[in-house]
């Protein structure tokens, strides 16, 4: 995974200093540093971190830490996420074999759960602490890798990924066209990107989340 990451400032490779390893030998705590400009990035809980801990998506992290497993097929015994994934991307499991796949805005990893059953390597990226929930959910999958980063500041080498999907995230970002052009840079020339957003119809404005939100966002958060 570290070989795919670069310093965005000077595009140089990153080196790693391990401070603590887990039982499987993976780095649990450490520092990534740029071989050219010496910029440093922490690895904590086995996850390279390229964002400040607080950001505009921190409520997502809060939500996903509380409802960590509910949407995972492997936890709830349904195939809702799998059906949604294959119908929204239009990909087949066979075409993913041996490929590198990027999930931007992975949340708690409901689609990583689906795709990790393919013989592919998958990188899950999220800006919020949802990435820790995703890791806790999918720790047993050797082919899934986690990075905390923003879609606006992806630290992958250009032309790394064969496939990328952004499901239900792009509409939350401040500048969706820019976000997509940055994702495209990480993709191989013949790569495939699947992007889906939620439907907006006149009646979707009536959904409870819209009229409850002005109230719920003022409620004091419980600390976990
Ligand atoms: C509605 S959730 C969708 C999660 C997942 N794709 C799913 O469908 O279950 C949106 C996710 O996008 C993440 N997100 C928002 N802005 C982001 C950004 N600029 N870069 C990366 N992730 C972002 C949030 O932290 C959150 O986990
Ligand atoms: Zn650098």
């Amino acid at each position: 995974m570290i070989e795919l990451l670069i310093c965005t400032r000077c595009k140089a490779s990153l080196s790693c200093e391990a401070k603590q390893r887990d039982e499987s030998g993976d780095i649990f705590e450490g520092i990534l540093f740029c071989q050219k400009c010496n910029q440093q990035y922490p690895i904590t809980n086995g996850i390279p971190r390229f964002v400040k801990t607080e950001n505009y998506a921190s409520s997502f992290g809060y939500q996903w830490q509380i409802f960590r497993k509910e949407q995972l097929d492997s936890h709830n015994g349904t195939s809702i996420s799998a059906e949604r994934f294959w119908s929204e991307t239009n990909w087949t499991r066979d075409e993913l074999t041996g490929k590198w796949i990027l999930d931007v805005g992975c949340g708690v990893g409901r689609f990583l759960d689906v795709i990790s059953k393919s013989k592919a390597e998958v990188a899950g990226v999220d800006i919020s602490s949802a990435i820790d929930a995703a890791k806790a959910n999918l720790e047993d999958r050797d082919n899934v890798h986690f990075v905390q980063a923003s879609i606006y500041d992806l630290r992958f080498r250009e032309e790394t990924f064969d496939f990328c999907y952004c499901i239900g995230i792009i509409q939350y970002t401040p500048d969706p066209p820019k976000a997509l052009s940055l994702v495209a840079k990480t993709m191989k020339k013949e790569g495939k990107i699947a992007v889906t957003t939620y439907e907006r119809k006149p009646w979707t404005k009536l959904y409870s989340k819209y009229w409850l939100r002005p109230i719920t966002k003022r409620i004091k958060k419980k600390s976990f």
Side-chain angles (χ1 to χ4, degrees):
M1 178 72 202
I2 288 168
E3 286 167 17
L4 306 185
L5 295 169
I6 49 165
C7 172
T8 34
R9 210 193 268 174
C10 40
K11 302 233 182 319
S13 301
L14 298 177
S15 295
C16 186
E17 192 186 305
K19 291 193 170 157
Q20 193 189 338
R21 289 182 184 268
D22 63 19
E23 289 142 19
S24 62
D26 284 342
I27 298 164
F28 187 70
E29 299 281 328
I31 292 173
L32 283 170
F33 56 93
C34 171
Q35 291 174 0
K36 221 168 168 183
C37 74
N38 215 26
Q39 176 83 23
Q40 298 194 348
Y41 311 95
I43 300 174
T44 58
N45 186 29
I47 304 173
R49 315 275 177 173
F50 297 107
V51 295
K52 303 222 162 47
T53 40
E54 271 303 305
N55 53 59
Y56 77 95
S58 56
S59 287
F60 274 116
Y62 178 73
Q63 171 194 339
W64 293 133
Q65 298 280 350
I66 301 171
F67 303 105
R68 176 158 77 83
K69 286 181 171 249
E70 279 72 3
Q71 292 185 328
L72 264 68
D73 285 358
S74 59
H75 172 75
N76 61 33
T78 70
S79 53
I80 295 171
S81 295
E83 282 162 26
R84 192 170 148 203
F85 180 80
W86 297 115
S87 74
E88 290 192 12
T89 59
N90 230 0
W91 303 338
T92 62
R93 207 177 272 290
D94 282 350
E95 69 182 318
L96 306 183
T97 301
K99 306 291 189 202
W100 264 100
I101 301 162
L102 175 63
D103 176 342
V104 188
C106 63
V108 284
R110 66 188 291 191
F111 300 117
L112 292 173
D113 181 31
V114 174
I115 206 162
S116 61
K117 291 173 189 148
S118 307
K119 291 190 180 69
E121 294 293 321
V122 198
V125 173
D126 203 286
I127 195 174
S128 75
S129 63
I131 199 74
D132 291 271
K135 182 164 185 269
N137 282 340
L138 301 163
E139 213 141 22
D140 57 335
R141 318 279 167 92
D142 289 342
N143 58 341
V144 185
H145 315 271
F146 304 91
V147 176
Q148 188 176 10
S150 169
I151 196 167
Y152 292 102
D153 195 13
L154 294 168
R155 307 294 178 111
F156 296 104
R157 281 179 204 291
E158 289 186 8
E159 300 188 32
T160 291
F161 293 100
D162 304 282
F163 292 83
C164 168
Y165 58 91
C166 309
I167 301 185
I169 104 134
I170 210 85
Q171 73 281 357
Y172 296 119
T173 66
D175 184 349
K178 183 173 175 204
L180 284 179
S181 71
L182 293 169
V183 170
K185 283 196 174 168
T186 71
M187 303 290 303
K188 289 185 181 158
K189 288 274 181 293
E190 305 299 319
K192 289 187 182 177
I193 308 184
V195 181
T196 67
T197 62
Y198 306 135
E199 252 188 342
R200 188 189 271 174
K201 295 269 161 62
W203 58 88
T204 58
K205 293 203 181 91
L206 300 174
Y207 287 176
S208 57
K209 63 179 175 183
Y210 296 114
W211 50 266
L212 278 174
R213 185 152 165 69
I215 305 165
T216 54
K217 72 178 183 187
R218 288 183 174 79
I219 295 176
K220 212 167 168 220
K221 285 180 185 153
K222 219 162 115 185
S223 46
F224 286 85

